[in-house]
Amino acid sequence: MSIKFEILKECRKTKARLGKLFTPHGVIETPVFMPVGTQATVKAMTPQELERLGIQIILSNSYHLYLRPGHNLIAQAGGLHKFMGWKSSILTDSGGFQIFSLGELNKINDEGVFFNSHIDGSKHFISPEKAMEIQMALGSDIAMAFDECTPYPSGKYQVEAAAQRTIQWAKRCKVIHHNLNQSLFGIAQGGTFKDIRIENANKLVELDFPGYAIGGLSVGEPKSLMYEVLDYTVPCLPQNKPRYLMGVGAPQSLLEGVVRGIDMFDCVLPTRNGRNGSLFTSSGKISITNAKFKDDFTPLDSKCQCYTCQNFTKAYLRHLYISKEILGSILGTIHNLYFMISLMKNIRSALLGDRLLEFKEEFLSNYLG
Ligand SMILES: [Zn+2]
């Protein structure tokens, strides 16, 4: 079975939609935030804890799993779900973004990318065909086409060439992809150039994917510019297919993405911040190691119902982080993921109740102060 996407309701005042995405491993309520499990684990979380938090889909990174432990070993284990003990849905990225951001690039041409591993310097080559082989072996529910992501800022010529190559590669991915239990999404590129973005999205849509991602954003450009790109790119994508904004996870950006018609998001931010002691609260982000929390015996966020906020104080959490105790990372990650999941739930119920813009205004005025 491949995926099925149902739109339950559309917002009258914005482009937001409430939906359900069905995969071979369950139902995902959209708009959704997907936590990142880079190395086939959402750091500091057991799969049981993720289930308790109500997480319906996670993202895992092909680049990392290809290098270590290897996609063939994971296939031998029965696929990624079995290997990592996760029963719900998984989306894998194609590795493109990591190759361009982590690997030591040797050469890129129309065939693919030659790079050295960031772990041991070993030489590798990934083509669109190879990226499909890896993701089919992993057996994720949603696979992503292999794309070329340009950094920000990049010149127009470079962005144009990468965008054209991304289309050629998307075609090749589609030809070779043959896992019927996996759906392949296309990725639209084009940097922050309006004409390239629109042309690229239109060409990608002609290839007819079951879902579309907008890539190459949140790579250092101002947020206002990212929202502008969404304003003119999202309308190029089919109304009845899921739309995924890659690598975006700041609470305010999720809201801005949802009102522009995005259904899916992923980002390492909540989990990475959770381990660093940078914690989301309804009145903004705080750094729990700050000296002012030394004898603060109140919960992290009095409005939060998560296990961390229900059972521990800021003073105790600060102590854990200062002492570099593992429990600090665990409790911080539980809270940050709960915060994101609650935000998305609140967005969905506001959408259902025709009060999304009111909710957005209220949330942002508390969160951004
Ligand atoms: Zn909490």
Side-chain angles (χ1 to χ4, degrees):
M1 159 198 166
S2 54
I3 60 150
K4 198 176 85 183
F5 185 54
E6 271 177 20
I7 293 174
L8 306 173
K9 181 161 185 167
E10 286 173 72
C11 180
R12 285 185 218 143
K13 294 178 188 153
T14 72
K15 291 182 195 145
R17 349 51 101 71
L18 182 72
K20 274 187 180 174
L21 180 62
F22 299 82
T23 80
H25 287 89
V27 185
I28 299 145
E29 291 164 282
T30 64
V32 64
F33 172 78
M34 306 182 281
V36 177
T38 304
Q39 310 272 10
T41 159
V42 175
K43 292 188 199 307
M45 293 289 98
T46 60
Q48 188 182 40
E49 191 58 60
L50 297 174
E51 275 167 34
R52 266 192 220 135
L53 287 166
I55 286 155
Q56 297 166 334
I57 180 168
I58 61 162
L59 176 144
S60 206
N61 294 113
S62 295
Y63 168 85
H64 291 280
L65 299 179
Y66 157 77
L67 288 177
R68 186 177 57 195
H71 57 293
N72 290 326
L73 182 123
I74 292 176
Q76 212 182 317
L80 187 54
H81 291 88
K82 271 204 180 144
F83 185 57
M84 67 180 287
W86 174 246
K87 297 184 189 81
S88 301
S89 303
I90 303 177
L91 179 148
T92 44
D93 64 6
S94 64
F97 182 77
Q98 276 73 28
I99 294 172
F100 292 105
S101 57
L102 289 177
E104 191 192 316
L105 273 183
N106 277 338
K107 200 172 101 189
I108 170 164
N109 61 29
D110 291 342
E111 274 314 297
V113 188
F114 296 85
F115 65 98
N116 293 342
S117 156
H118 74 288
I119 301 170
D120 59 7
S122 55
K123 290 187 189 335
H124 298 269
F125 172 69
I126 294 204
S127 60
E129 290 77 15
K130 185 79 187 175
M132 291 301 100
E133 179 200 318
I134 295 167
Q135 293 182 83
M136 286 191 282
L138 296 175
S140 50
D141 300 275
I142 299 171
M144 301 303 299
F146 192 59
D147 61 329
E148 181 177 349
C149 183
T150 44
Y152 178 85
S154 290
K156 194 164 185 180
Y157 177 79
Q158 192 193 347
V159 172
E160 171 80 56
Q164 283 186 18
R165 189 173 273 148
T166 293
I167 294 293
Q168 295 311 316
W169 286 358
K171 281 183 193 163
R172 282 162 56 188
C173 287
K174 228 187 151 209
V175 167
I176 204 98
H177 184 265
H178 58 84
N179 182 341
L180 295 177
N181 288 318
Q182 184 178 62
S183 296
L184 175 65
F185 281 21
I187 305 178
Q189 289 288 348
T192 50
F193 298 97
K194 186 174 180 179
D195 51 345
I196 304 178
R197 275 278 170 196
I198 291 175
E199 194 197 346
N200 196 257
N202 288 335
K203 279 187 178 166
L204 192 74
V205 170
E206 279 172 30
L207 299 179
D208 190 24
F209 287 95
Y212 295 89
I214 300 175
L217 290 176
S218 198
V219 290
E221 77 285 359
K223 279 197 188 325
S224 56
L225 195 51
M226 173 170 87
Y227 303 147
E228 220 177 279
V229 173
L230 294 180
D231 282 333
Y232 54 69
T233 306
V234 173
C236 302
L237 303 176
Q239 200 275 346
N240 60 344
K241 304 275 175 78
R243 304 156 176 168
Y244 163 28
L245 176 57
M246 304 183 83
V248 171
Q252 63 271 37
S253 300
L254 295 184
L255 274 159
E256 297 295 345
V258 166
V259 298
R260 286 169 175 81
I262 300 293
D263 308 299
M264 305 164 72
F265 303 85
D266 82 281
C267 193
V268 294
L269 197 75
T271 42
R272 182 177 289 164
N273 281 354
R275 298 193 303 283
N276 295 336
S278 177
L279 306 175
F280 300 133
T281 77
S282 44
S283 49
K285 209 161 66 174
I286 64 166
S287 179
I288 195 67
T289 50
N290 195 306
K292 72 179 175 190
F293 299 125
K294 190 175 174 224
D295 53 1
D296 185 335
F297 302 111
T298 62
L300 177 58
D301 187 343
S302 56
K303 290 182 185 153
C304 181
Q305 302 294 313
C306 86
Y307 172 71
T308 303
C309 293
Q310 294 298 306
N311 292 281
F312 306 96
T313 64
K314 291 194 198 78
Y316 179 63
L317 289 171
R318 177 177 183 273
H319 157 71
L320 292 177
Y321 281 98
I322 298 274
S323 324
K324 302 203 175 357
E325 281 294 331
I326 296 169
L327 186 58
S329 292
I330 296 172
L331 295 179
T333 305
I334 287 177
H335 168 78
N336 272 2
L337 284 179
Y338 187 93
F339 184 88
M340 299 300 280
I341 295 302
S342 302
L343 171 61
M344 300 317 286
K345 258 188 204 158
N346 291 336
I347 287 175
R348 293 194 299 265
S349 64
L351 246 165
L352 191 64
D354 289 317
R355 47 180 183 83
L356 180 63
L357 283 180
E358 291 84 342
F359 171 76
K360 179 181 173 228
E361 201 174 307
E362 190 193 322
F363 177 89
L364 291 181
S365 76
N366 289 328
Y367 186 78
L368 300 173

